[in-house]
Every structure is written in structure tokens, then in C-alpha cells.
Amino acid sequence: MTTHIFELKGTWTKGRNASGHITTDNLSTRVSIPEVMDGPEIGTNPDEMLLGAASTCYMITLAAMIERSEIDIERIEVESKGYVEVENDIITYKKIEHFPIIYMQEEPDEQLHHTLNRLVQKAEESCMVTRALAGNVEVIATGEVRF
């Protein structure tokens, strides 16, 4: 078994409506509570970062699965949405939706289109971040193919 350790260092100054800073090997950014949650909206926030982790993991997983299936594509674009509910002052991340668009040079036949749609779903189920959220946050992928 191989274990990978990822590290993040963070600092936070003062109270709730202040801001902080996080640093990893490849990321350095300010963080705060988003304005929609009555925060100062300085830099990014945990909700965007969770969505970013889920979306990039999904996109990379889908690209790898398409490559392993030896399907030639131009690119993948993914729009992702995170749904956070606030009820009785309890904030809960409820759902993430991915809307990938797979661009190809030419129109795929029916079998290839079916395979790509299957990979869109399988990537969502296989993504490490989606698996980490399982049972807590619903994650959905609905794909489209364009040529």
C-alpha cells in the first residue's frame, strides 16, 4: 500500500469576519467567509474549494477514463455547481452537479456516444473526492458531446 500525504498550512487573523491565508506546494490564496454567508468575501472560501476539488478530480478522472478507452477527443469543459443549504443556522453542503461537455472532431456514432455517456457517470463514481463525500453530499454528472 502507498500513502500520499498532502499538506496545507493556514493562518487566520482575528474573528469570524476577518480573513486567512492558505498555502500548499502549488496554491497560495486568501480565504474568508463568502458574502452570501455574511462574510467579507476576501479570496476564496471552503465552499468554492470543495467544489474545486470535486470538479478537478472529476475532470481528471473522466479524461483518464476516456484516454484508457482509446477515444480521441479535443477537450473536456466542465461546469460544476455546489448547493449549500442553511437551515436553523446549520450550514450543509447538500449536492454537487457536474456538467461536462466533451468536444470531438467529428460526430460520434451511437455506440461511441453511449460509451462516452457511460464514462461520464463512471468518472463521477470513481473520483477520489466523490468517494470521500459519499453518504454526505450527493454528486451528479450530466454530460454532453459536441463536435
Side-chain angles (χ1 to χ4, degrees), residues 9-62:
K9 292 182 181 175
T11 60
W12 190 269
T13 306
K14 302 199 181 204
R16 178 194 185 279
N17 284 326
S19 66
H21 190 270
I22 59 168
T23 305
T24 68
D25 287 342
N26 297 298
L27 174 69
S28 178
T29 189
R30 293 185 69 185
V31 293
S32 72
I33 296 172
E35 187 176 6
V36 298
M37 294 179 179
D38 298 322
E41 187 91 23
I42 299 170
T44 189
N45 59 69
D47 307 293
E48 288 177 343
M49 292 187 67
L50 180 60
L51 181 61
S55 186
T56 54
C57 182
Y58 173 76
M59 187 168 40
I60 292 167
T61 302
L62 179 58

Side-chain angles (χ1 to χ4, degrees), residues 21-112:
H21 190 270
I22 59 168
T23 305
T24 68
D25 287 342
N26 297 298
L27 174 69
S28 178
T29 189
R30 293 185 69 185
V31 293
S32 72
I33 296 172
E35 187 176 6
V36 298
M37 294 179 179
D38 298 322
E41 187 91 23
I42 299 170
T44 189
N45 59 69
D47 307 293
E48 288 177 343
M49 292 187 67
L50 180 60
L51 181 61
S55 186
T56 54
C57 182
Y58 173 76
M59 187 168 40
I60 292 167
T61 302
L62 179 58
M65 290 180 154
I66 289 171
E67 182 179 88
R68 277 195 300 272
S69 298
E70 299 181 353
I71 300 171
D72 188 29
I73 64 168
E74 290 291 312
R75 71 183 185 280
I76 299 167
E77 293 179 1
V78 177
E79 180 180 328
S80 297
K81 295 181 181 183
Y83 297 84
V84 177
E85 292 182 1
V86 181
E87 185 175 338
N88 299 325
D89 291 332
I90 297 173
I91 302 168
T92 306
Y93 218 115
K94 298 300 272 188
K95 177 171 69 170
I96 294 173
E97 290 182 310
H98 301 301
F99 302 95
I101 301 172
I102 302 168
Y103 289 89
M104 306 188 74
Q105 289 229 343
E106 52 191 59
E107 183 175 7
D109 61 27
E110 189 174 321
Q111 178 61 36
L112 181 54

